[in-house]
Amino acid sequence: MSDERELAELTRLVREFSTERDWQQFHDPKSVILALVGEVGELAELFQWIPADDAVPRFADEARRARAGEEIADVLVYLLRLADVLGVDIATATRRKLADSHRRFDPAVVRGTAPEKR
Amino acid sequence: MSDERELAELTRLVREFSTERDWQQFHDPKSVILALVGEVGELAELFQWIPADDAVPRFADEARRARAGEEIADVLVYLLRLADVLGVDIATATRRKLADSHRRFDPAVVRGTAPEKR
Amino acid sequence: MSDERELAELTRLVREFSTERDWQQFHDPKSVILALVGEVGELAELFQWIPADDAVPRFADEARRARAGEEIADVLVYLLRLADVLGVDIATATRRKLADSHRRFDPAVVRGTAPEKR
Amino acid sequence: MSDERELAELTRLVREFSTERDWQQFHDPKSVILALVGEVGELAELFQWIPADDAVPRFADEARRARAGEEIADVLVYLLRLADVLGVDIATATRRKLADSHRRFDPAVVRGTAPEKR
């Protein structure tokens, strides 16, 4: 177990938490995505009315930062659970995606310009 | 660097990717949350019309699983970026949240019952 | 005013509600979208752990249906607010979108088949 | 039919569109919410990297405003569909919610202050 990497470990902890409560029966992918959406909604609510420039300083306050951390953690928990029920290796998928983004977005071309969605 | 844990490493890789493109200027928390919402939307679209019971077998197909992995990775990338700009240690926040859930949801009480939101 | 159509009327009521509280200052589009995301999250949470086939019968219960109605209303309120601050005529946009969908999805071709997102 | 109000009419048009394609079979509430999340994601992507103060002027451009209108329409279409499958009268629910908000948020108390979510 000493070689277990962090995302695999957290995935296992979330799986064990679910199994101990016999909650894996509720964790079909669509349900887990809805739960993820619920947590993303709670995250959005923390920031919705704060002026954009003010968000970082406002959340420098320890209690608020901890509050944001809780909502971020909730999103991660469901994201790990989703990857797990789908048999997706989230660490590998993320490294692959980053490598792909390095290829797609050449700094010489995109520097300082936000890619626009249309 | 050999002691760097996985979430810290991925967070650093995402940060470096952003800095190399001078994109950190776009990464105020509200904007990053909107980008996260965009990726969650793409994830939802993959599953929306698939019967709930059919989602896991359908995504056992290698190409589809890779496709789901890409969207899950995109969500994780923005979640790491958000934690980073807020100064949240996502690994610590997640371990703390799991410990808290262990306390809140006693298996003897909640086993087999989905906690209902009202 | 007697010719005012329903979406225009509701848009006006939401605008007046905001103005009376001097809240229009918070209603830049990105903030309103985050508020919308928050309400979509609350809607998702109502359904997340309910078996897909069971959602309609479960929400036939009057109190639950009213609860779902509240969350649906919250989403609509922010959607109307967003359209209003952007100067989008939501009724016209929706009729146009439906006409466009009629053209894009020929019943003879798509009948009984969910369009798949890739 | 001449007395049909606008939201009821649009709800009926969306229902007929679905029935003509035999798509009502896919429209259980959880699936429709996931489709709604997909459209909210597309809406978020239009705005994600635009500076908050710049969003309204940027979308004053006719093509962009039409683009935002399309995404707003897509969200409304799925919201109407969801209300319909749940038997929720969205117009009544929205008027009730607004009346409730008038009671909860006294202008004399909340004027100029964004209610904070915790």
Side-chain angles (χ1 to χ4, degrees), chain D residues 89-102:
Chain D
D89 178 331
I90 190 171
T92 302
T94 303
R95 288 173 199 282
R96 196 170 288 159
K97 197 69 207 264
L98 281 172
D100 181 58
S101 292
H102 273 279

Side-chain angles (χ1 to χ4, degrees), chain D residues 49-62:
Chain D
W49 307 132
I50 295 175
D53 295 346
D54 217 31
V56 165
R58 195 85 71 97
F59 278 81
D61 167 77
E62 200 45 57

Side-chain angles (χ1 to χ4, degrees), chain A residues 40-113:
Chain A
V40 170
E42 294 189 37
L43 190 55
E45 287 179 342
L46 289 182
F47 290 88
Q48 59 195 11
W49 307 132
I50 295 174
D53 295 345
D54 217 32
V56 166
R58 196 85 71 97
F59 279 81
D61 168 77
E62 200 45 57
R64 274 176 179 270
R65 181 185 290 162
R67 191 70 194 79
E70 282 176 46
E71 297 304 342
I72 288 170
D74 282 336
V75 177
L76 182 58
V77 163
Y78 284 121
L79 194 64
L80 295 174
R81 191 74 192 110
L82 177 66
D84 196 26
V85 299
L86 290 170
V88 164
D89 179 331
I90 191 170
T92 302
T94 303
R95 289 174 198 280
R96 196 170 287 159
K97 197 69 208 269
L98 281 172
D100 182 57
S101 292
H102 272 279
R103 276 190 299 274
R104 285 172 60 211
F105 300 105
D106 179 350
V109 176
V110 302
R111 185 183 301 280
T113 310

Side-chain angles (χ1 to χ4, degrees), chain D:
Chain D
M1 203 66 81
S2 63
D3 287 346
E4 195 182 29
R5 299 219 59 184
E6 199 173 39
L7 282 164
E9 183 205 350
L10 290 172
T11 298
R12 178 178 55 77
L13 292 175
V14 174
R15 185 193 315 131
E16 289 170 358
F17 177 84
S18 302
T19 310
E20 284 162 17
R21 283 152 190 80
D22 197 21
W23 284 356
Q24 72 284 16
Q25 62 181 304
F26 302 112
H27 292 175
D28 67 282
K30 293 174 80 163
S31 297
V32 176
I33 295 173
L34 287 175
L36 177 76
V37 166
E39 301 301 343
V40 170
E42 294 189 35
L43 189 56
E45 286 179 341
L46 289 182
F47 290 89
Q48 59 195 11
W49 307 132
I50 295 175
D53 295 346
D54 217 31
V56 165
R58 195 85 71 97
F59 278 81
D61 167 77
E62 200 45 57
R64 273 175 180 273
R65 181 185 290 162
R67 189 72 193 78
E70 284 177 46
E71 298 305 341
I72 289 171
D74 282 336
V75 177
L76 181 57
V77 162
Y78 284 121
L79 193 64
L80 295 175
R81 192 73 192 111
L82 177 65
D84 196 26
V85 300
L86 290 171
V88 164
D89 178 331
I90 190 171
T92 302
T94 303
R95 288 173 199 282
R96 196 170 288 159
K97 197 69 207 264
L98 281 172
D100 181 58
S101 292
H102 273 279
R103 274 190 298 273
R104 285 172 59 211
F105 300 106
D106 179 350
V109 176
V110 302
R111 184 182 300 281
T113 309
E116 192 170 349
K117 295 273 187 167
R118 290 176 195 277

Side-chain angles (χ1 to χ4, degrees), chain B residues 26 28 30-31 33-34 37 45-46 48-50 52-53 58 64 67 71 114-118, chain C residues 26 28 30-31 33-34 37 45-46 48-50 52-53 58 64 67 71 114-118:
Chain B
F26 301 112
D28 67 282
K30 293 174 81 164
S31 297
I33 295 173
L34 287 175
V37 166
E45 286 179 341
L46 289 182
Q48 59 195 11
W49 307 133
I50 295 175
D53 294 346
R58 196 84 71 96
R64 274 175 180 272
R67 189 72 194 77
E71 298 305 341
E116 192 170 350
K117 295 272 186 168
R118 289 175 195 278
Chain C
F26 302 112
D28 67 283
K30 294 175 79 162
S31 298
I33 295 173
L34 288 175
V37 166
E45 287 179 341
L46 289 182
Q48 60 194 10
W49 306 131
I50 295 175
D53 294 345
R58 196 84 72 96
R64 274 176 179 270
R67 191 70 194 78
E71 297 305 342
E116 193 170 348
K117 297 272 187 169
R118 288 174 195 280

Side-chain angles (χ1 to χ4, degrees), chain B residues 58-70:
Chain B
R58 196 84 71 96
F59 278 82
D61 168 76
E62 200 44 58
R64 274 175 180 272
R65 181 185 291 163
R67 189 72 194 77
E70 284 176 47

Side-chain angles (χ1 to χ4, degrees), chain C residues 14-69:
Chain C
V14 175
R15 184 192 317 130
E16 289 171 359
F17 177 83
S18 303
T19 310
E20 284 163 17
R21 283 152 190 79
D22 198 20
W23 284 355
Q24 73 283 17
Q25 62 180 307
F26 302 112
H27 292 174
D28 67 283
K30 294 175 79 162
S31 298
V32 177
I33 295 173
L34 288 175
L36 178 75
V37 166
E39 300 301 343
V40 170
E42 293 188 38
L43 189 55
E45 287 179 341
L46 289 182
F47 290 88
Q48 60 194 10
W49 306 131
I50 295 175
D53 294 345
D54 217 33
V56 166
R58 196 84 72 96
F59 278 82
D61 168 76
E62 200 46 57
R64 274 176 179 270
R65 181 185 290 162
R67 191 70 194 78

